[in-house]
Amino acid sequence: MSAPNRYAFHVIMQRLSPAPFVRPLALALVGALGLSACSLVPKPEPDPALTALYQRAAADATAAADAADPDTEALRSGDAQELKGEIERLCGHYDDGSVPSSCDVTATDAGSVDTSTPATTQILDTIAQVPQESLPVVVPEFVDLAARGATLPALHSADLSTATNSTMKKEELSQDVEALTEQLKQEYALIYGLGVALAFADSDLQQRVTDAIAQHREIASVLEASFPAGTTAPAPEAGYSLDQYTVPADAATAAQFVDEALADRAESWAATASTAHAESWRYQSLIIAGIVAQEQAG
């Protein structure tokens, strides 16, 4: 995700609620009960999932600096900075803007951080533990890494059944099913549009479009299999309007359509992954967001 798009994505997706404040009640209790009461006031702690991701990003940045890889160093340094800021935001701050000492996180010695697996794998393994409101910070990190060619796991269907997700709020599970429905409709529309583009594609574009059609048919198939019992997957329409994009009419406009449509899908899947609730839906939508980011990168 490019820097401008990533900034816009954060602005759109970041929740509007202010960061929690470490003040009035806790400070009042200390003042009223004396220093001995300090042990009664809970100390905010940094989120462990975000802390692990922060330390990994910092270790990657250090390794990239040692390897004279400025692009990766800049990317991972930026990731580490954003993750640290999110950790501190969740912890809260005092009236003077300082962060409680219990919320301090530091980058550990790079050699002590496990980097044996790709950073994208660590994010996928951690995504279920990431706070809901922090997903708009973590998802763009994953998408950027995927766009740089990270290996992604195979697609699998999500389990959105009430039995598996019995501890979830019903409205959250319903929101996931609604997102699943909308994304499947969008995949159908993309496949249709790619078929139109293929009719006008030149030899340089044909393989890219053919590969994209196969990829998104697989995505659609996985999404169809993700609908829980009692719900019905939408069927593809006979045709779709392409007016929101450059309509293919020759080789040049066909190429432009493919670029625009894949960019739109990449943004849409990143937004969906950033609002997913159920663990398997988070995992699946994040992988698809990575896949489409790789397609967009070419």
Side-chain angles (χ1 to χ4, degrees):
M1 193 176 291
S2 65
N5 286 344
R6 186 166 181 176
Y7 174 77
F9 181 76
H10 279 304
V11 171
I12 293 170
M13 296 305 304
Q14 189 65 39
R15 292 197 174 186
L16 299 178
S17 57
F21 288 88
V22 181
R23 49 171 197 162
L25 179 58
L27 297 180
L29 283 172
V30 173
L33 300 177
L35 294 178
S36 62
C38 287
S39 61
L40 300 178
V41 181
K43 292 182 179 180
E45 298 289 342
D47 182 84
L50 295 178
T51 299
L53 294 179
Y54 159 70
Q55 292 174 338
R56 172 60 189 273
D60 286 348
T62 299
D66 293 341
D69 182 354
D71 291 341
T72 301
E73 181 187 2
L75 175 67
R76 297 304 275 152
S77 292
D79 289 340
Q81 183 178 358
E82 290 187 2
L83 287 163
K84 191 174 190 294
E86 178 64 6
I87 290 167
E88 293 176 349
R89 187 190 73 82
L90 289 180
C91 268
H93 58 270
Y94 294 110
D95 285 339
D96 64 1
S98 63
V99 177
S101 59
S102 61
C103 292
D104 287 343
V105 290
T106 57
T108 61
D109 178 16
S112 66
V113 177
D114 182 10
T115 58
S116 60
T117 59
T120 46
T121 300
Q122 182 183 7
I123 295 172
L124 287 168
D125 290 345
T126 309
I127 199 65
Q129 286 76 50
V130 171
Q132 183 74 33
E133 61 192 290
S134 301
L135 288 175
V137 174
V138 176
V139 169
E141 175 185 342
F142 178 90
V143 168
D144 284 343
L145 290 168
R148 290 167 63 89
T151 300
L152 300 175
L155 285 172
H156 72 291
S157 59
D159 185 350
L160 294 178
S161 66
T162 54
T164 300
N165 302 284
S166 58
T167 60
M168 283 181 58
K169 296 179 180 178
K170 289 183 178 180
E171 58 268 28
E172 291 180 344
L173 190 57
S174 177
Q175 289 168 7
D176 284 349
V177 174
E178 289 175 4
L180 167 64
T181 303
E182 180 58 29
Q183 285 295 356
L184 180 54
K185 290 179 179 179
Q186 295 288 342
E187 288 298 316
Y188 288 150
L190 175 65
I191 293 167
Y192 173 85
L194 290 172
V196 174
L198 185 60
F200 295 96
D202 57 21
S203 57
D204 292 334
L205 183 62
Q206 284 176 353
Q207 190 60 55
R208 184 187 182 197
V209 176
T210 300
D211 290 345
I213 289 173
Q215 180 65 77
H216 286 275
R217 281 176 176 165
E218 181 184 359
I219 291 172
S221 178
V222 167
L223 295 179
E224 290 167 348
S226 297
F227 280 81
T231 61
T232 303
E237 301 289 341
Y240 295 87
S241 171
L242 306 179
D243 291 344
Q244 67 269 43
Y245 308 116
T246 299
V247 178
D250 52 34
T253 53
Q256 194 169 349
F257 167 83
V258 173
D259 288 341
E260 292 172 359
L262 290 180
D264 187 44
R265 290 275 69 217
E267 290 289 337
S268 180
W269 272 113
T272 293
S274 295
T275 56
H277 299 93
E279 178 178 347
S280 64
W281 179 233
R282 280 190 185 188
Y283 188 86
Q284 177 179 275
S285 59
L286 191 57
I287 293 173
I288 297 174
I291 288 172
V292 184
Q294 289 181 343
E295 284 185 315
Q296 187 187 8

